[in-house]
Amino acid sequence: MKVFNFGSINIDMVYRVPHLVQPGETLSSRSLETVLGGKGANQSVALARAGIDVRHIGRIGKSDQWAAEQMQAAGVDMQGVESVDGPSGHAIIQVDDSGENSIILHGGANQSFDRGVLEQRLSEAAPGDWLLMQNECNDIAEAFEIARQRQMSIAFNPAPMTAAVRQLPLAQCDVLIVNETEAADLAETDDPDEALAILAQRYPDTRLVLTLGSRGALLQYEGQQVSEAAVPVDVVDTTGAGDTFVGYFLAGLMQGLAERDALQRACRAAALSVTVAGATPSIPTLAEVDSTQDD
């Protein structure tokens, strides 16, 4: 099995600030770092570092080839990534002294897909392969349809959440990974516990994973709920932690781990990632994650 990840590639401009800027406030940053990012790129790198054959489907501006080279160096198959005219997707990220972040996204090349491109990129997918998606690229609905035609399994992380997500055929997902805000939005309730119950009833054949940040994660599937506490660590930067979790959780399922073990390993990987600054630079290797198992 392999994963085809139809996902964003962003150029992250990370500003270190004493606190997240407030409305009407002008704030000087202490530093600026320009690095590879994007939920799609991050999740592909996490899958590759977890030992999975992952083929990225994406687009990037011609001036940012260095970002694609970094993904390839991490073990991601980049044959499905095209360099195009115009800007890459990019993110302006504030990171404060407590490690929390605030992010502004510009879609750029991530919003330039069409059905023909997706059909071509998925032409080598075999039944049982996985299609992983986030919500930073256009034509997500078309990707769902093509994946089902090719008898692929589907994992979806609807971040950033938009109203259009509710119109997608989410019942087709084999894995749906959401945070508390996304779950509440999808379920149209302010209660995260109620949201999980609503989504479980709505999508009974889907592995629903609810990430809870510093409180760990929950998994609901076939009437059973599994919870895993977060690993306590000294937080440096939370950017990319959710993407690390997604990649490692899906990798665990593909590698035959039980749901509880996959959830536990994903939480350990996410915890390690927040101890290092940056998105893709913070994603640990499988050996690093496994070395923490008995800590």
Side-chain angles (χ1 to χ4, degrees):
M1 286 190 297
K2 53 189 173 292
V3 176
F4 291 79
N5 184 7
F6 172 38
S8 59
I9 302 173
N10 284 344
I11 308 304
D12 283 358
M13 290 167 280
V14 184
Y15 297 83
R16 299 293 307 204
V17 291
H19 60 266
L20 302 184
V21 69
Q22 301 299 305
E25 180 183 20
T26 299
L27 187 65
S28 294
S29 68
R30 293 172 179 156
S31 65
L32 167 63
E33 187 177 11
T34 302
V35 295
L36 167 65
K39 300 195 73 63
N42 296 342
Q43 292 177 20
S44 279
V45 170
L47 283 160
R49 289 181 178 163
I52 295 297
D53 179 357
V54 53
R55 304 186 181 188
H56 199 91
I57 300 171
R59 285 183 163 181
I60 195 168
K62 290 180 178 177
S63 63
D64 295 316
Q65 190 60 33
W66 62 268
E69 291 170 356
Q70 286 189 12
M71 291 177 66
Q72 187 169 16
V76 180
D77 186 325
M78 300 294 285
Q79 295 182 66
V81 174
E82 181 182 4
S83 296
V84 298
D85 293 323
S88 300
H90 57 268
I92 298 172
I93 303 173
Q94 302 174 58
V95 181
D96 69 13
D97 287 344
S98 67
E100 289 300 322
N101 63 58
S102 178
I103 302 172
I104 299 173
L105 289 174
H106 175 70
N110 299 320
Q111 293 290 315
S112 65
F113 292 92
D114 58 52
R115 186 184 180 95
V117 169
L118 295 176
E119 288 180 335
Q120 182 182 31
R121 297 292 185 268
L122 291 171
S123 62
E124 295 183 7
D129 284 342
W130 283 82
L131 175 64
L132 171 62
M133 294 177 286
Q134 311 79 35
N135 197 35
E136 291 181 342
C137 295
N138 66 311
D139 282 358
I140 298 295
E142 287 75 6
F144 265 92
E145 185 178 343
I146 296 167
R148 277 307 179 210
Q149 289 173 353
R150 302 196 69 82
Q151 300 178 36
M152 301 177 72
S153 299
I154 296 175
F156 186 44
N157 173 217
M161 182 66 187
T162 61
V165 169
R166 297 194 195 97
Q167 308 305 316
L168 294 172
L170 299 182
Q172 297 179 7
C173 292
D174 297 276
V175 173
L176 179 63
I177 302 177
V178 291
N179 63 23
E180 292 178 277
T181 302
E182 293 153 1
D185 201 335
L186 272 178
E188 299 180 272
T189 177
D190 293 329
D191 185 337
D193 292 330
E194 183 183 30
L196 187 60
I198 291 171
L199 296 178
Q201 185 175 26
R202 188 183 298 172
Y203 311 122
D205 298 323
T206 299
R207 287 182 176 88
L208 291 168
V209 180
L210 178 63
T211 59
L212 303 170
S214 61
R215 293 182 288 118
L218 294 173
L219 183 147
Q220 182 83 31
Y221 183 53
E222 294 184 336
Q224 302 295 316
Q225 188 174 105
V226 177
S227 64
E228 182 64 30
V231 178
V233 293
D234 294 326
V235 176
V236 173
D237 181 1
T238 60
T239 307
D243 299 328
T244 300
F245 179 96
V246 170
Y248 266 88
F249 178 75
L250 181 56
L253 293 183
M254 294 178 65
Q255 291 162 340
L257 295 184
E259 279 90 356
R260 182 179 297 278
D261 293 334
L263 198 68
Q264 184 183 74
R265 193 171 75 175
C267 285
R268 293 202 312 273
L272 281 176
S273 76
V274 305
T275 65
V276 178
T280 51
S282 72
I283 299 171
T285 65
L286 182 57
E288 290 170 332
V289 175
D290 285 346
S291 71
T292 69
Q293 188 166 3
D294 299 321
D295 289 352

